[in-house]
Amino acid sequence: MAYETIIVEVEDHVALVTLNRPDALNALNDQLLKELSTALRECQKNDKVRCIVLTGSDKAFAAGADIKMMSEKSFVDVFSEDLFGPEPDMIQSVRKPIIAAVGGYALGGGCELAMMCDFIIAADTAKFGQPEINLGVMAGLGGSQRLTRFIGKSKAMDMNLTGRFMDAEEAERSGLVSRVVPAKKLKDEALAAATKIAEKSQIAVMAVKESVNRSYEVPLREGLLFERRVFHSLFATEDQKEGMSAFMEKREAQFRDK
Ligand code: HXC
């Protein structure tokens, strides 16, 4: 399918999805979100794709929701159309891992989009922020919820109330990103991580994704029980036999996703 606001490239079992509205620093508008959710749905269906990397440009992962698109809307408009409701829900329902590779600005909806991914690899140029307060509004896609769980109340309040930006080093120290890499290596590092994931048993990969995400939804005792049951269930797979045999035979495992 042809897209106008994103670029999708599939190579070696990894889909690289690049946000591509350079004139607006990849601001999220209806078209971009629709195309992104369609592309991710296609990735979910495509057996060749085993992991997804979502990235932007050197200057911006995404500078937020499109302010020009929102500026004239009324409460009735945004409430009736459920602005930023359906597409982001779709993005979160993808079962394959999605890595956000963030260089430059990840602000407002851009920061929130990165947080919807399974983990974030940041370039040393990355700047995260929830500056909606400067527009007389507030975060609407997880900036007051996910961000608080990721970096704690004090920093989340600071970011949301002052609108200040957090650099990559602080983001790593705070637990928002998993690693920081030189900007020039961002794409390669993210693709290498995705390729590594693509080599694993995809049944186990999906189980990990579901279990870690579950930890944000349920109390610890329930989460631990869910984890143990999923762990048990993986013993029904051929890949468990293969993985453990390969270890004992001192060879590489050949997973077949069965
Ligand atoms: C629409 C945007 C935009 C945005 C940048 N642009 N951010 N257009 N929506 N969120 C456009 C600018 O208007 C400009 O277009 C072009 O991109 C380049 O931006 P500049 O401002 O000239 O670049 P620079 O001076 O380098 O400043 C970069 C910046 C700044 C610091 C990132 O653009 C900025 O503050 N952007 C807004 C960030 C923000 O407030 N995000 C939160 C949005 S609300 P022209 O045509 O003038 O050249 C939000 C709500 C989420 O995200 C809730 C639910 C999703």
Side-chain angles (χ1 to χ4, degrees):
M1 164 157 183
Y3 299 110
E4 288 174 3
T5 60
I6 60 172
I7 299 165
V8 182
E9 297 155 280
V10 178
E11 207 181 316
D12 294 338
H13 300 297
V14 175
L16 176 65
V17 180
T18 306
L19 305 178
N20 188 35
R21 290 189 72 212
D23 294 344
L25 301 185
N26 294 331
L28 313 174
N29 62 5
D30 282 339
Q31 185 184 5
L32 185 147
L33 285 170
K34 277 203 176 73
E35 291 189 356
L36 180 58
S37 89
T38 304
L40 292 175
R41 193 177 292 119
E42 291 298 315
C43 288
Q44 180 63 46
K45 280 195 278 184
N46 184 346
D47 287 341
K48 278 196 198 122
V49 175
R50 296 160 74 89
C51 192
I52 300 155
V53 173
L54 179 61
T55 196
S57 67
D58 292 345
K59 181 161 181 187
F61 176 76
D66 192 315
I67 299 166
K68 288 169 197 161
M69 175 191 84
M70 292 185 294
S71 62
E72 296 300 323
K73 287 187 191 285
S74 68
F75 165 76
V76 172
D77 295 332
V78 298
F79 183 75
S80 310
E81 72 187 60
D82 193 16
L83 184 69
F84 303 124
E87 275 76 29
D89 278 351
M90 161 55 216
I91 293 165
Q92 288 161 85
S93 69
V94 175
R95 297 183 71 202
K96 296 175 185 179
I98 309 178
I99 302 172
V102 174
Y105 296 109
L107 305 177
C111 183
E112 295 168 310
L113 178 61
M115 288 191 289
M116 275 179 224
C117 298
D118 295 303
F119 63 98
I120 302 174
I121 298 180
D124 49 13
T125 55
K127 286 189 179 60
F128 298 88
Q130 298 293 159
E132 292 93 335
I133 193 88
N134 298 329
L135 303 169
V137 290
M138 62 171 279
L141 263 179
S144 72
Q145 301 298 304
R146 281 196 191 89
L147 187 67
T148 307
R149 293 177 188 212
F150 293 173
I151 68 175
K153 177 184 167 187
S154 194
K155 273 188 186 287
M157 279 286 190
D158 182 358
M159 305 270 295
N160 276 283
L161 288 174
T162 67
R164 81 169 172 92
F165 299 165
M166 183 183 259
D167 67 17
E169 192 272 323
E170 184 182 3
E172 185 182 29
R173 180 159 35 93
S174 311
L176 179 58
V177 311
S178 70
R179 33 180 143 155
V180 179
V181 300
K184 278 199 172 64
K185 292 193 175 163
L186 176 66
K187 213 190 283 181
D188 287 347
E189 293 275 345
L191 289 172
T195 303
K196 199 165 260 217
I197 293 167
E199 287 164 1
K200 317 288 184 204
S201 163
Q202 295 307 292
I203 308 290
V205 164
M206 280 193 293
V208 168
K209 174 163 174 160
E210 248 178 68
S211 296
V212 175
N213 282 335
R214 181 61 67 121
S215 74
Y216 282 99
E217 309 293 342
V218 299
L220 181 60
R221 184 179 275 275
E222 288 302 315
L224 288 169
L225 181 60
F226 179 81
E227 176 192 77
R228 194 158 65 248
R229 293 297 178 235
V230 176
F231 167 71
H232 290 160
S233 71
L234 292 174
F235 283 71
T237 66
E238 291 176 18
D239 283 347
Q240 174 264 333
K241 304 286 174 291
E242 167 61 11
M244 294 192 180
S245 303
F247 174 80
M248 289 185 299
E249 292 160 16
K250 300 189 188 304
R251 61 174 175 81
E252 284 283 307
Q254 302 292 322
F255 293 121
R256 297 171 58 225
D257 304 336
K258 288 186 171 161

